């Protein structure tokens, strides 16, 4: 298989291997045997892979022993050589590259935009966006690509409106984020995509600084302009834009396929308003579309479940394996939307728990039942797994496309 430049696509690393909805069995074996071992990634790094639910929570919950801030001074494996100052500029504002107290300062500025009260104010607009895209699907007629026609544009429009990003630019930033997150794309191309995205965000921030609007970027500038740098604003905007549409869109696409294959559970999501909340939590746990989050670095010699981790070593957390740990819940391999177990790590844990989790949950609680009510006989065009197109090499797992039909169409 060739990449975009004709080069051979690297082998998929263990922590990204899936069998449709399921993580690689080897990860489950490592977890159940309590082993913490090294793997090699396409970037050339050899991190320790942590798979047990309690161990993953331990690492995520201890920013003092397991740091994110190394990424603001050291290049990622495979990156072009840059000075620590250049790297710090590139990473400025990206909350995933900060530890307290700097992380605390930036996150506090953003938290108010993602409170329950703010989400309730936004909810009517999300309903409008969902219904308008369902109207467009219905008017265009069957068949449709659920990813292109619904799962991707709905969260993209929501995050654009929340941030103050022009929605007409979505095709460009989606293409750039696709290159940026695809580990099969050569690092030079990924870095170029990152530079293009940063230039776009820099222009957007400059316009907002000249005349702050009512969306999130304008609010940050008005309320915290003296406490936040331009580079930090660019980084925050870039992170939220990518995270805001990539994660929820892939949950909607992959989650719909999972429900279509479990019709009794689909019926609950469609017909019982009380079922949708627990169903969203179970889909988040069972699918775990984010393979690992960011690399951590051990700040001191330490141990995890009896395995010695030397200071300076990288750690990679397998979120899908942790969320299928019997320590978390009984029968973890089974999808059961009725249980809605809390405590999963699909959104992370600790200080880096996903800032946009309330928004993602709200979008899914609205979108899933609306889709299934509008098209009660929704089905996949082809049931042949060989024709399914999954995003195997991307940081966020999901589907490239999902052809669906309804009514009397074949």
């Amino acid at each position: 298989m060739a990449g975009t430049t004709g080069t051979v696509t690297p082998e998929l690393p263990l922590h990204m291997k899936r069998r449709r909805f399921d993580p690689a069995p080897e990860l489950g074996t490592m977890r159940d045997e309590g082993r913490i071992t090294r793997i090699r990634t396409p970037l050339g790094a050899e991190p320790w892979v942590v798979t047990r639910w309690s161990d993953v929570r331990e690492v995520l919950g201890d920013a003092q022993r397991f740091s994110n801030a190394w990424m603001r001074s050291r290049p990622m494996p495979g990156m072009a050589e840059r000075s620590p100052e250049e790297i710090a500029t590139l990473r400025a504002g990206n909350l995933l590259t900060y530890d307290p107290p700097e992380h605390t300062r930036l996150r506090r500025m953003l938290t108010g935009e993602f409170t329950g009260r703010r989400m309730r104010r936004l909810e009517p607009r999300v309903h409008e966006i969902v219904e308008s895209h369902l109207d467009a699907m219905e008017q265009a007629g069957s068949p449709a690509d659920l990813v292109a026609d619904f799962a991707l544009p709905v969260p993209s429009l929501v995050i654009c409106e929340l941030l103050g990003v022009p929605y007409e630019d979505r095709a460009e930033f989606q293409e750039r984020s696709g290159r940026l997150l695809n580990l099969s794309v050569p690092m030079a191309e990924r870095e170029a995509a990152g530079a293009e995205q940063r230039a776009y965000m820099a222009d957007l921030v400059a316009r907002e600084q000249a005349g702050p609007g009512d969306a999130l970027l304008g609010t940050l500038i008005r309320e915290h302009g003296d406490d936040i740098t331009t580079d930090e604003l660019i980084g925050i905007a870039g992170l939220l834009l990518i995270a805001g549409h990539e994660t929820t869109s892939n949950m909607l696409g992959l989650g719909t396929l999972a429900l279509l294959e479990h019709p009794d559970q689909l019926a609950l999501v469609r017909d019982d308003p009380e079922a949708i909340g627990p169903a969203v939590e179970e889909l988040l746990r069972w699918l775990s579309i984010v393979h690992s989050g960011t690399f951590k670095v051990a700040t001191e010699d330490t141990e995890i479940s009896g395995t010695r981790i030397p200071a300076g070593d990288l750690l990679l957390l397998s979120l899908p394996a942790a969320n299928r740990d019997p320590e978390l819940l009984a029968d973890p391999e089974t999808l059961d939307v009725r249980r809605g177990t809390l405590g999963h790590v699909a959104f992370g844990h600790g200080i880096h728990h996903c800032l946009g989790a309330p928004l993602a949950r709200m979008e899914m609680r609205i979108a899933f039942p609306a889709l299934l009510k509008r098209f009660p006989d929704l089905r996949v065009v082809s049931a042949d797994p060989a024709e399914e197109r999954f995003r195997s090499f991307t940081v966020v797992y999901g589907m490239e496309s999902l052809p669906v039909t309804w009514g009397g169409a074949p």
Side-chain angles (χ1 to χ4, degrees):
M1 178 179 170
T4 57
T5 61
T7 56
V8 176
T9 299
E11 180 183 357
L12 195 65
L14 175 61
H15 76 286
M16 296 176 69
K17 289 182 178 179
R18 306 262 185 154
R19 293 183 177 179
R20 300 184 78 237
F21 305 115
D22 304 329
E26 298 96 316
L27 290 168
T29 300
M30 289 169 53
R31 178 198 63 221
D32 296 341
E33 292 178 354
R35 287 189 288 117
I36 297 176
T37 58
R38 290 183 185 271
I39 66 165
R40 187 169 183 82
T41 72
L43 303 178
E46 296 187 357
W48 298 93
V49 178
V50 182
T51 54
R52 293 177 58 206
W53 175 75
S54 57
D55 292 340
V56 166
R57 283 175 58 91
E58 177 184 349
V59 173
L60 289 172
D62 192 341
Q64 185 171 345
R65 280 195 299 154
F66 306 105
S67 170
N68 285 29
W70 68 276
M71 288 185 284
R72 297 182 58 236
S73 59
R74 288 165 46 187
M76 286 285 290
M79 278 181 60
E81 286 297 321
R82 290 188 173 88
S83 70
E85 292 76 20
E86 290 174 319
I87 296 170
T89 298
L90 289 174
R91 300 285 186 236
N94 183 339
L95 293 172
L96 299 177
T97 67
Y98 282 75
D99 292 336
E102 293 86 355
H103 175 271
T104 309
R105 174 180 66 87
L106 290 176
R107 180 150 178 149
R108 186 179 293 125
M109 296 180 192
L110 294 165
T111 300
E113 294 299 317
F114 295 94
T115 61
R117 183 170 59 183
R118 179 72 174 91
M119 292 303 101
R120 285 190 292 275
R121 291 207 311 268
L122 187 60
E123 189 169 334
R125 179 58 183 144
V126 175
H127 276 286
E128 291 177 2
I129 291 170
V130 166
E131 292 300 327
S132 69
H133 282 84
L134 291 175
D135 290 343
M137 279 180 60
E138 190 169 25
Q139 291 165 10
S142 175
D145 179 358
L146 188 74
V147 172
D149 297 333
F150 184 72
L152 183 56
V154 166
S156 294
L157 181 51
V158 172
I159 196 63
C160 281
E161 291 193 2
L162 184 66
L163 283 175
V165 175
Y167 185 59
E168 57 267 25
D169 296 344
R170 68 192 181 282
E172 295 178 20
F173 70 67
Q174 286 167 1
E175 187 276 332
R176 287 192 297 266
S177 66
R179 279 188 285 146
L180 189 61
L181 298 178
N182 189 337
L183 298 191
S184 71
V185 173
M187 178 58 83
E189 291 186 33
R190 295 177 62 212
E191 289 191 88
E196 293 167 14
Q197 193 82 324
R198 181 174 176 78
Y200 171 81
M201 286 299 171
D203 180 67
L204 180 66
V205 167
R207 280 183 277 149
E208 287 290 329
Q209 287 174 323
D214 295 329
L216 189 149
L217 272 180
T219 300
L220 281 177
I221 291 166
R222 283 194 309 274
E223 297 183 0
H224 304 285
D226 294 335
D227 304 314
I228 190 168
T229 68
T230 296
D231 284 332
E232 288 172 339
L233 283 167
I234 293 169
I236 286 170
L239 174 64
L240 292 179
L241 181 62
I242 291 176
H245 78 269
E246 282 285 342
T247 50
T248 307
S249 67
N250 284 290
M251 274 299 303
L252 290 175
L254 196 62
T256 298
L257 179 62
L259 291 171
L260 289 172
E261 296 188 8
H262 297 79
D264 57 330
Q265 301 191 51
L266 181 150
L268 285 171
V269 173
R270 183 189 63 216
D271 301 331
D272 183 1
E274 298 299 319
I276 184 59
V280 165
E281 298 306 319
E282 177 69 350
L283 287 166
L284 285 164
R285 179 199 71 82
W286 196 67
L287 296 173
S288 295
I289 58 169
V290 177
H291 300 291
S292 62
T294 57
F295 287 119
K296 302 280 189 178
V297 70
T299 60
E300 59 188 58
D301 290 344
T302 189
E303 284 191 0
I304 303 174
S305 288
T307 298
R308 180 178 175 274
I309 309 294
D313 277 13
L314 295 175
L315 296 96
L316 186 153
L317 311 178
S318 176
L319 304 183
N323 279 334
R324 301 267 185 116
D325 192 336
E327 183 184 3
L328 172 61
L329 77 171
D331 193 19
E333 300 295 333
T334 298
L335 176 68
D336 183 353
V337 300
R338 292 163 295 191
R339 55 186 167 193
T341 303
L342 297 176
H344 62 74
V345 289
F347 284 126
H349 174 67
I351 64 167
H352 290 287
H353 183 272
C354 177
L355 181 69
L359 176 61
R361 285 183 165 110
M362 186 253 286
E363 289 179 281
M364 285 185 276
R365 286 198 302 266
I366 293 170
F368 278 126
L371 169 69
L372 300 174
K373 287 176 182 176
R374 180 70 68 96
F375 305 113
D377 56 350
L378 190 73
R379 56 195 182 277
V380 178
V381 169
S382 173
D384 184 357
E387 297 183 15
E388 295 175 333
R389 296 177 58 199
F390 292 98
R391 294 160 42 104
S392 298
F393 266 95
T394 56
V395 173
V396 182
Y397 185 63
M399 307 198 75
E400 297 284 356
S401 62
L402 180 58
V404 294
T405 187
W406 59 88

